[in-house]
Amino acid sequence: MKRKVLLLVVLGIFVLSGLPVFAVDTGNVVDIWHYWTAGREAQSINWLMESFRKKYPEISVEDRAIPGSTAELRQQLGVAFMGGNPPELFQVGIGYGLKSYADAGRLMPITDVWTEINGNKMFPEGIAKMIVFDNEAWAVPLNIHTINTVWYNVNIFKKYNLKEPKTWEEFKHVCRVLKEKDVEPIAAAGFWSVYALYPFLITTLGPKGYAALGQGEISFTGEKKVREAFELFKEMWVDNLMENWTGYSWAEAAQPLMKGKAAMYFCMGDWLAALLENEGMEPIKEFDFFLAPGTRNMIIGQVDALALTKGSDAPNLAKTFLEFCASTEGQRAFNRYKGSVAANLKTPSEFYGPIMSKIYHLLHKPETQFMPNLSFLMPPDFYTQFYTEIEKYAVNPTDETLDEVLNELERLRSEAFMEGKWVNWGW
Amino acid sequence: MKFGLGFRQEKSLATMLFLAVPLSLFAVFFFYPIGYTLYLSFHEWNGISPTMNPVGFKNYLNIAKSPHFRTALLNNGKWFIFYLLFPPGLGLLLALLINKGVKKGGIFETIFFLPNAITLIAVACIWRWLYTPGYGVFNEILRRVGLPGWTQNWLGNPQIATYSVMIAVLWAEVGVFFIIYFAGLRNIPQALIDAAKLDGASSFKIFKYITWPMLAPSTVIVVAFSVIGAIKIFDLIYALTRGGPAYFTSVLAVFMYEVSFNRFQMGQGAAVGVILFLLAAAVIGPYLIYSTRKVEAVRQ
Amino acid sequence: MKWLRPSLSFEKLTIYLLLIFFALLFLLPTFVAINTAFKPPREIWEVTSFPSQVYLENFKEGLYKIRRGLVNSALLAFPAMLISTFIGSLAAYPLSQFKFRGDTAVYFLLLSGMYIPYQTVLIPLFFIIRRLGLYDTIPGLWLVHTAYGIPFTTLILRNFFATVPSELMEAAALDGCSLIGYYWKILLPVGRSGIAATLILQFRAIWNEFLFALTLTQSAKSMPVTVRLQSFVSMTEVHWGPLMGATLITILPIIVVFLVFKRYFVTGLIGVYK
């Protein structure tokens, strides 16, 4: 008995001596919250902060990595906002996500920074549209992850004399040849089906139609072209998927591609390139990409940005950090390890690897348009159910399922419309 | 006696004394959050805005209309049956086997408890490796022993995915059930068993008339865990399949998570939470009342 | 025949075979984890092969990244295990030994706490902890785990205490033992099976708990190991090797606690007839 009490006392002393001093943020620290928890992603944010510290040694900058992604980060932010101690900056997706924070009154506009750096010219138009709204600018974009890339195993294509398809007809031909040779045309993973739908939407609706869909202006059941997109999606993508694709995670599905069991990986983001390189495949020589047919003049992408909170301790210091992030120096520091392309169009390109260089050049072609991922345009409530319905169709691509799916999507669309949830981003 | 009071008064005093701390902690940490959740379920809130909109029963109506909710509810039913039969059944079986007095029983005890000690992300990683269709351990083994036709799309086939997750959950959680039954078995006075053996009772009879009734307290605990488990199950499903493909393996807790945090509908998520709570209470309430009486009987 | 020795009866053999069968089934997944922990990065995807070398980097890296987390978790889990079991036993005592008006109601009430999904209590919980000034502290987590452990510990202990025959209390009263004395000197030792079970399960639950740990701590000084483990995982990259290495390290304390306390799974009445 006595020993137990003694033990408790000793433990107590241990703990008390380890109690942190309470006031963490002294008003001179720029605190950044994000979900870049591991590997190259963690490296990229660290490198960005390091470069900033070298230039501005008198400003303290700290970060907190929250395991998970948008949902988990938002959870923690929600708690922090309630508690009155939010970080200065946090990682946010442009478009709807950003707007939800702004509408809630949780952000401080950074229009002064934006005008200073001439944001409207510095970043692609498609990005600026999703950051400047309600007459203010709200975030600084860091990078662009391209997602309309179709990755392929170069050795297989060479072996069967296949060329990068430029149209859907050519794509169909490629798949047919592969099937004859007993190679699965497309590797895929459960949960990501929605990305594969985008090129088809753009093919039938055109880029303006795609954006209009994202703004809730097109009826799923009324507009024939929507149905056409789904049918093309089935013909070109679903019917060519590898066996048991639903049982793979996106990284697991890369294995068949690497081993040559599957030839292509359709519409996965450029982080796949980082994975393949890590596993020892040589870029361009052993794996390469082409832009999905129908989207050859655009980069469909997602963008990570940093936003400034209202109610944090050091907004002015944070603004300095934001300016640095927007500069070519900052963009270079962040994107060096991230496996994405800098959002700032003026950033030099010599530090990119072969794949990223290719993307960089595509982005900088005068006719290239930047289109955001639909998830940035649509209300999250709708988008979550949207991608679930698409997955449902991909798992069971019958006409009945398509009817069900389109009807459900149309019902959700009108509901969101009644509640005024759709946003016109200016497309 | 301590205060010179009558035995009954002292009992009341002791009762209040002992219950004081637990009940007050409970009041603060449970009533407030439950009340908050109930309040939230009648509002619309995106989790970060300083204001909430009152919307009456709209959240509940939306939930009822949702096909995801219906599938999830059905799946919880499947989990209910699973949880009542398998973890307790296997836990009891393993505890009985070891209790027979095998040499080096300790090693077996540790082996059966070990999976329970592994953190969730690792459990999920391990089972994904076991279940990967093309090159995962299970399918590889099946191919190598000459049964390629038996390979499955364990986590991707909507028909069997839930059962695949159940196997993983069984592995990860039987340790708890095993321990409860094991401690319960050891708690039975050996004298009773020996006396019955001397009377010539068979192992089966001993189990039926002595062991099983005396395990009633353990069974109460185990059944409570089962029901709670079936209703709250979230972590492994979310980690292994995210409720997918689409929402075919989803359960109420996954639905609640998606609604609250992916769809930014905290109010609607709270409504799901309330439904979960009521469901659990409705199922376990009667059982608890019934079993409380049963355990009293054991004391006599 | 030599192997049909009298000590190895048919029944015992069947039991052994069954146990070995189950043991192998149980070990397979764990073995996969151990196997992976010893592999260099390039070999990790070859799930069904053995490592070509004994690669210790995963353990080194894993240990390095979680070292402070291990300390924090230890400072968290050991005291919290003891406190929460103790508080549970406080509630379990009257509920199992006395009959009083509303005892079923109180019992039911305490148990209803188990149905609460923890995701929903995060925000109110955060407020409470902050108001108490315990945010980002280990004692704050003690409090939280004790409070949320009440239904669980009460359930187990109440049912184990209930197996203590009521004659014991009458006998003790005749001996001049007070009610509180009864608790300390008789109930706890007699109920030690249940207490040991509770200690083991509470330790494991607290050590492996993630959500409260994530929400209620922020700095390295108080962050438990479960949150630290996430540093091997992100949306687009998972470092399987170090993750497995670190996981194997975090299992050890739970196993130790298990081994230490399971010897108390004995029939509780032995010491009483003294």
Side-chain angles (χ1 to χ4, degrees):
Chain A
M1 241 325 273
K2 270 211 182 123
R3 289 233 306 256
K4 268 194 206 160
V5 174
L6 189 62
L7 190 63
L8 275 175
V9 169
V10 168
L11 277 174
I13 295 178
F14 251 102
V15 168
L16 284 173
S17 59
L19 274 179
V21 181
F22 277 104
V24 174
D25 202 329
T26 59
N28 264 327
V29 182
V30 176
D31 209 8
I32 309 173
W33 288 11
H34 57 81
Y35 50 87
W36 296 306
T37 35
R40 288 166 92 136
E41 298 200 314
Q43 247 182 319
S44 54
I45 180 72
N46 283 335
W47 194 242
L48 176 64
M49 292 195 299
E50 268 310 304
S51 312
F52 180 77
R53 286 186 192 114
K54 282 206 192 87
K55 191 160 181 189
Y56 297 94
E58 74 281 7
I59 303 184
S60 277
V61 57
E62 294 291 327
D63 74 325
R64 182 181 176 204
I66 308 220
S69 79
T70 317
E72 288 74 28
L73 175 59
R74 199 177 162 98
Q75 226 180 17
Q76 299 301 320
L77 278 173
V79 168
F81 282 131
M82 295 290 137
N85 66 333
E88 273 68 34
L89 299 169
F90 66 94
Q91 173 189 3
V92 67
I94 58 179
Y96 215 103
L98 181 61
K99 188 164 196 297
S100 70
Y101 286 101
D103 287 345
R106 296 299 189 188
L107 296 183
M108 198 180 280
I110 53 151
T111 321
D112 45 358
V113 175
W114 190 259
T115 334
E116 179 86 22
I117 61 178
N118 200 355
N120 289 327
K121 287 267 155 42
M122 190 184 243
F123 304 107
E125 189 189 340
I127 295 185
K129 272 200 175 74
M130 314 295 290
I131 290 189
V132 180
F133 46 81
D134 298 336
N135 292 321
E136 305 268 17
W138 299 94
V140 168
L142 293 172
N143 63 359
I144 299 176
H145 273 295
T146 313
I147 60 177
N148 59 324
T149 41
V150 179
W151 306 92
Y152 67 97
N153 185 319
V154 174
N155 290 328
I156 294 190
F157 266 50
K158 274 207 191 118
K159 185 165 172 191
Y160 300 120
N161 247 322
L162 296 168
K163 297 228 168 27
E164 293 179 2
K166 295 194 176 44
T167 64
W168 288 117
E169 276 309 309
E170 287 175 21
F171 186 82
K172 199 163 154 188
H173 169 77
V174 166
C175 291
R176 205 178 333 129
V177 171
L178 288 166
K179 272 190 170 160
E180 277 167 21
K181 306 288 181 188
D182 246 350
V183 176
E184 306 264 32
I186 308 179
F191 186 69
W192 295 86
S193 322
V194 67
Y195 282 16
L197 182 64
Y198 296 161
F200 300 101
L201 288 173
I202 293 201
T203 303
T204 58
L205 294 168
K208 274 226 154 60
Y210 167 89
L213 189 75
Q215 290 173 167
E217 295 160 10
I218 297 190
S219 160
F220 284 90
T221 45
E223 172 56 70
K224 259 195 323 200
K225 297 199 182 140
V226 175
R227 199 190 177 94
E228 275 170 32
F230 275 84
E231 285 167 353
L232 200 59
F233 169 69
K234 169 187 186 310
E235 189 191 340
M236 296 293 163
W237 191 70
V238 184
D239 286 346
N240 288 315
L241 291 177
M242 70 182 183
E243 208 189 348
N244 294 331
W245 60 278
T246 48
Y248 290 84
S249 70
W250 77 267
E252 290 165 1
Q255 291 296 312
L257 180 73
M258 283 175 32
K259 297 251 166 54
K261 296 220 169 75
M264 298 186 274
Y265 203 139
F266 195 94
C267 284
M268 181 50 70
D270 38 31
W271 47 83
L272 179 65
L275 177 81
L276 294 174
E277 269 189 66
N278 247 3
E279 293 291 315
M281 270 188 115
E282 216 187 311
I284 310 289
K285 286 226 179 72
E286 293 181 299
F287 77 91
D288 201 348
F289 76 91
F290 54 89
L291 294 180
T295 64
R296 291 171 46 78
N297 282 335
M298 51 194 80
I299 296 279
I300 306 183
Q302 35 201 61
V303 173
D304 292 309
L306 291 177
L308 175 63
T309 57
K310 203 185 260 186
S312 57
D313 292 320
N316 291 321
L317 297 179
K319 281 187 181 170
T320 315
F321 188 79
L322 283 176
E323 267 190 52
F324 180 74
C325 288
S327 71
T328 54
E329 205 183 330
Q331 296 268 312
R332 191 163 171 275
F334 186 75
N335 286 289
R336 205 163 147 198
Y337 296 108
K338 186 82 167 59
S340 50
V341 189
N344 180 340
L345 292 170
K346 296 215 175 57
T347 318
S349 63
E350 82 288 351
F351 61 94
Y352 292 126
I355 295 280
M356 283 301 131
S357 290
K358 210 167 148 182
I359 295 185
Y360 173 86
H361 284 115
L362 286 169
L363 181 66
H364 282 80
K365 276 190 354 207
E367 65 269 21
T368 304
Q369 209 185 2
F370 174 82
M371 297 295 299
N373 184 336
L374 272 185
S375 65
F376 291 151
L377 294 163
M378 296 175 163
D381 193 6
F382 180 83
Y383 185 74
T384 308
Q385 300 182 83
F386 178 68
Y387 72 67
T388 310
E389 290 295 318
I390 293 173
E391 182 98 2
K392 220 166 93 176
Y393 179 61
V395 169
N396 185 21
T398 62
D399 279 331
E400 292 89 44
T401 317
L402 186 54
D403 288 330
E404 263 177 50
V405 163
L406 289 175
N407 284 332
E408 177 72 5
L409 287 176
E410 180 57 25
R411 176 181 84 83
L412 292 169
R413 182 190 80 88
S414 359
E415 248 180 49
F417 186 78
M418 296 296 178
E419 297 172 7
K421 292 271 169 66
W422 293 103
V423 171
N424 187 319
W425 299 99
W427 296 93
Chain B
M1 310 289 174
K2 272 199 126 171
F3 297 96
L5 298 169
F7 194 49
R8 229 171 84 194
Q9 269 109 322
E10 196 186 331
K11 256 194 189 172
S12 305
L13 195 65
T15 304
M16 287 195 288
L17 189 68
F18 275 83
L19 284 177
V21 173
L23 280 181
S24 25
L25 278 180
F26 189 82
V28 173
F29 284 93
F30 287 95
F31 285 152
Y32 174 32
I34 297 179
Y36 178 84
T37 304
L38 192 61
Y39 175 77
L40 184 55
S41 73
F42 293 111
H43 292 74
E44 184 175 349
W45 187 48
N46 64 9
I48 52 172
S49 171
T51 56
M52 298 186 201
N53 267 350
V55 291
F57 279 94
K58 186 168 100 146
N59 286 329
Y60 291 93
L61 286 176
N62 275 340
I63 292 174
K65 279 194 251 171
S66 155
H68 188 161
F69 172 71
R70 281 175 255 137
T71 308
L73 195 57
L74 212 73
N75 282 334
N76 274 110
K78 289 187 191 165
W79 280 96
F80 185 71
I81 298 177
F82 162 79
Y83 254 109
L84 274 181
L85 295 176
F86 290 91
L90 186 59
L92 179 58
L93 176 64
L94 295 175
L96 284 172
L97 287 176
I98 297 190
N99 199 39
K100 285 285 184 179
V102 293
K103 283 212 189 83
K104 305 285 186 209
I107 298 186
F108 287 110
E109 292 166 31
T110 313
I111 292 180
F112 297 136
F113 179 64
L114 188 63
N116 204 224
I118 303 183
T119 47
L120 191 76
I121 358 168
V123 173
C125 286
I126 295 173
W127 282 86
R128 280 211 70 98
W129 282 329
L130 293 174
Y131 281 143
T132 316
Y135 51 90
V137 176
F138 283 165
N139 283 348
E140 266 305 300
I141 293 182
L142 284 172
R143 274 183 218 117
R144 292 204 190 165
V145 300
L147 291 171
W150 285 29
T151 59
Q152 298 290 339
N153 185 2
W154 303 97
L155 292 173
N157 178 350
Q159 317 272 18
I160 62 169
T162 296
Y163 304 117
S164 306
V165 180
M166 284 178 179
I167 296 178
V169 168
L170 182 62
W171 178 80
E173 300 206 357
V174 83
V176 175
F177 295 81
F178 165 70
I179 286 194
I180 300 282
Y181 269 130
F182 194 57
L185 277 177
R186 286 288 164 92
N187 209 28
I188 297 177
Q190 189 60 25
L192 279 177
I193 311 247
D194 290 339
K197 272 202 183 135
L198 279 175
D199 277 347
S202 70
S203 286
F204 182 68
K205 279 229 170 90
I206 294 182
F207 180 77
K208 185 169 173 196
Y209 292 109
I210 300 184
T211 315
W212 179 247
M214 294 216 73
L215 277 180
S218 290
T219 306
V220 171
I221 298 174
V222 153
V223 169
F225 284 168
S226 292
V227 173
I228 303 295
I231 291 186
K232 273 170 88 168
I233 177 90
F234 170 78
D235 295 307
L236 264 183
I237 299 183
Y238 195 73
L240 285 174
T241 62
R242 296 274 201 118
Y247 44 72
F248 294 125
T249 55
S250 187
V251 287
L252 288 175
V254 173
F255 178 57
M256 183 177 76
Y257 192 86
E258 178 182 292
V259 167
S260 299
F261 302 115
N262 286 332
R263 289 168 37 180
F264 302 171
Q265 297 273 32
M266 302 291 287
Q268 199 170 330
V272 181
V274 171
I275 294 179
L276 260 177
F277 184 87
L278 291 175
L279 212 61
V283 173
I284 202 169
Y287 176 75
L288 267 184
I289 298 180
Y290 157 78
S291 68
T292 319
R293 313 253 165 82
K294 230 181 163 205
V295 175
E296 289 301 312
V298 173
R299 279 167 47 108
Q300 323 310 335
Chain C
M1 301 255 248
K2 271 259 173 78
W3 64 278
L4 274 176
R5 266 178 262 137
S7 56
L8 200 65
S9 71
F10 182 67
E11 191 183 345
K12 272 255 165 88
L13 187 63
T14 337
I15 291 182
Y16 255 115
L17 285 177
L18 277 176
L19 279 176
I20 294 180
F21 170 69
F22 281 115
L24 288 176
L25 281 184
F26 270 78
L27 281 176
L28 176 65
T30 316
F31 179 70
V32 170
I34 300 178
N35 197 24
T36 310
F38 283 104
K39 284 186 182 161
R42 284 291 160 83
E43 292 179 24
I44 294 207
W45 287 105
E46 308 292 331
V47 195
T48 45
S49 68
F50 295 105
S52 58
Q53 46 167 200
V54 177
Y55 183 73
L56 290 175
E57 277 308 304
N58 290 331
F59 290 101
K60 283 195 203 145
E61 190 185 334
L63 183 60
Y64 178 73
K65 282 218 170 113
I66 63 172
R67 64 201 190 291
R68 179 72 209 222
L70 285 173
V71 172
N72 290 337
S73 281
L75 289 177
L76 163 62
F78 282 103
M81 152 186 85
L82 293 169
I83 302 174
S84 63
T85 306
F86 173 63
I87 303 279
S89 71
L90 287 184
Y93 175 35
L95 289 174
S96 60
Q97 301 298 314
F98 308 147
K99 281 194 184 45
F100 53 93
R101 267 237 302 268
D103 59 355
T104 316
V106 172
Y107 180 41
F108 184 59
L109 182 68
L110 287 179
L111 259 42
S112 67
M114 284 203 281
Y115 321 148
I116 300 194
Y118 292 146
Q119 314 278 357
T120 46
V121 307
L122 274 185
I123 292 183
L125 181 63
F126 177 74
F127 281 142
I128 298 175
I129 295 296
R130 254 187 83 85
R131 187 74 53 86
L132 293 172
L134 290 173
Y135 177 70
D136 203 22
T137 63
I138 293 182
L141 286 174
W142 291 351
L143 180 60
V144 168
H145 282 294
T146 302
Y148 287 102
I150 289 180
F152 182 85
T153 52
T154 307
L155 174 70
I156 301 182
L157 290 172
R158 188 246 179 226
N159 282 292
F160 272 88
F161 287 172
T163 62
V164 176
S166 40
E167 294 92 42
L168 262 181
M169 182 179 299
E170 281 145 29
L174 283 174
D175 275 351
C177 182
S178 75
L179 285 175
I180 296 185
Y182 180 71
Y183 169 78
W184 275 123
K185 298 196 194 122
I186 303 194
L187 192 61
L188 289 189
V190 171
R192 77 183 89 134
S193 268
I195 293 183
T198 311
L199 286 173
I200 294 175
L201 292 176
Q202 272 300 87
F203 185 80
R204 174 227 144 223
I206 296 172
W207 181 270
N208 277 344
E209 198 277 332
F210 174 71
L211 196 59
F212 292 151
L214 173 68
T215 312
L216 298 175
T217 64
Q218 192 168 328
S219 59
K221 286 196 180 153
S222 28
M223 207 177 268
V225 78
T226 37
V227 183
R228 277 260 152 267
L229 277 175
Q230 297 285 343
S231 67
F232 299 113
V233 178
S234 80
M235 268 300 275
T236 56
E237 270 184 69
V238 181
H239 291 184
W240 312 100
L243 176 63
M244 285 300 133
T247 302
L248 290 176
I249 298 175
T250 58
I251 294 178
L252 295 174
I254 303 182
I255 300 297
V256 166
V257 168
F258 171 68
L259 292 174
V260 163
F261 285 114
K262 75 177 175 71
R263 76 174 89 134
Y264 293 104
F265 289 169
V266 287
T267 167
L269 290 175
I270 287 182
V272 173
Y273 294 117
K274 283 197 183 154

